């Protein structure tokens, strides 16, 4: 039934997006294994997406040779698809920069995205978001970020170091909320992390609440499905809602079956009337395991009424 619904949905969709996160391996051989499983299954679906949203943690650890090797294998794999890619950084993309505070940040996958034609991320490593226009939808990608001189670093939804040098404040979050509210048309947000109400920490994303009513859905990674050690009681949470809002948020992680239980990703379909379909894919078994059709119109949030 899930495959049937996916096929009918694919026929109706005017935009088809492949959303993934957290390949995140310390050793290239493990990254290669998981990447091969997922790409082979993707190709079996015969060009199922028009673009990719990669929500962080493409690599892991501090061995620069390994980081470059894992970057190269992914660049080769995704380049072959010939479709745009948007990349929102995650905590492990900064592993090398974090342990070398005396050097300017080195982030091989982020740098590869920046140099690749028709791939998109923040213009500068100290920017905390970027946008992409997809038909009537505007996508806001919320990103981890680091000082160009490595004096401060934000990962895991909090300031990791250099708080005295950090240039942003609640006023910047308020300005971003105003920017989102001013968009004419529906908005999707995407990040390595959830908003409050999702899995794992939500400190920085929480600064954006209350979200404007034009935000329809949020996609995130970080909380590897099946990873008991880190996801804990939310180990299998795939769909949740932003606290105090009628806005669903979708956990797309993870693109690996070592910490998580399978190589997973999500396919998003957007239809002509603005409605959406979300399809969860288990690449290990080559099957869609769930599908979800969020309400086209979310109910007005009332968080502001409490103030």
């Amino acid at each position: 039934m899930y495959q049937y619904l996916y096929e009918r949905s694919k026929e109706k969709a005017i935009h088809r997006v492949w959303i993934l996160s957290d390949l995140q391996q310390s050793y290239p051989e493990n990254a290669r294994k998981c990447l091969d499983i997922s790409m082979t299954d993707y190709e079996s679906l015969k060009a199922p997406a028009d673009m990719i949203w990669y929500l962080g943690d493409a690599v892991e650890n501090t061995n620069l040779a390994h980081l470059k090797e894992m970057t190269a294998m992914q660049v080769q794999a995704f380049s072959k698809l010939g479709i745009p890619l948007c990349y929102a950084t995650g905590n492990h993309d900064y592993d090398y920069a974090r342990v070398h505070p005396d050097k300017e940040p080195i982030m091989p996958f982020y740098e590869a995205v920046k140099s690749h034609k028709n791939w998109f991320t923040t213009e500068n490593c100290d920017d905390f978001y970027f946008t992409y226009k997809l038909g009537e939808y505007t996508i806001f990608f919320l990103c981890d970020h680091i000082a160009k001189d490595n004096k401060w670093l934000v990962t895991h939804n909090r300031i990791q170091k250099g708080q005295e040098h950090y240039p942003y404040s609640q006023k910047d979050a308020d300005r971003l909320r105003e920017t989102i509210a001013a968009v004419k048309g529906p908005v999707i947000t995407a990040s390595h992390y959830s908003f409050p109400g999702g899995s794992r920490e939500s400190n920085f994303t929480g600064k954006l609440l209350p979200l404007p009513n034009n935000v329809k859905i949020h996609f995130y990674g970080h909380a590897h499905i099946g990873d008991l050690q880190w996801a804990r009681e939310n180990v299998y949470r795939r769909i949740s809602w932003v606290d105090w809002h009628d806005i669903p948020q979708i956990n797309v992680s993870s693109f690996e079956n070592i910490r998580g239980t399978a190589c997973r990703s999500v396919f998003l379909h957007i239809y002509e009337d603005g409605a959406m379909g979300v399809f969860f894919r288990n690449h290990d078994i080559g099957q869609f395991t769930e599908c979800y059709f969020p309400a086209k119109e979310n109910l007005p949030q009332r968080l502001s009424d409490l103030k």
Side-chain angles (χ1 to χ4, degrees), residues 213-228:
N213 286 329
N214 58 348
V215 177
K216 300 303 178 184
I217 196 168
H218 178 68
F219 293 92
Y220 70 97
H222 191 53
H224 302 224
I225 295 168
D227 180 4
L228 282 165

Side-chain angles (χ1 to χ4, degrees), residues 29-101:
E29 58 268 26
N30 290 339
R32 171 68 68 185
K33 184 191 78 167
C34 296
L35 183 63
D36 286 349
I37 288 170
S38 299
M39 297 308 298
T40 298
D41 183 50
Y42 176 93
E43 290 167 2
S44 75
L45 294 171
K46 302 188 185 303
D50 307 312
M51 73 174 307
I52 300 167
W53 298 348
Y54 199 152
L55 304 184
D57 282 6
V59 295
E60 181 185 64
N61 223 307
T62 59
N63 183 314
L64 190 55
H66 287 181
L67 296 176
K68 290 181 177 180
E69 183 177 349
M70 289 184 284
T71 292
M73 70 175 69
Q74 292 182 79
V75 169
Q76 181 182 33
F78 296 130
S79 294
K80 286 182 178 179
L81 303 182
I83 57 179
L85 182 149
C86 290
Y87 188 66
T89 52
N91 53 289
H92 283 294
D93 298 306
Y94 299 83
D95 282 353
Y96 187 85
R98 175 177 50 81
V99 301
H100 293 89

Side-chain angles (χ1 to χ4, degrees), residues 289-304:
T289 57
E290 293 159 289
C291 60
Y292 168 58
F293 298 92
K296 183 181 174 185
E297 299 297 335
N298 51 351
L299 297 172
Q301 56 83 14
R302 291 288 181 253
L303 183 59
S304 59

Side-chain angles (χ1 to χ4, degrees), residues 176-192:
L176 175 55
R177 186 191 310 112
E178 293 168 359
T179 298
I180 293 172
V183 170
K184 304 300 182 184
V187 168
I188 294 172
T189 57
S191 174
H192 191 57

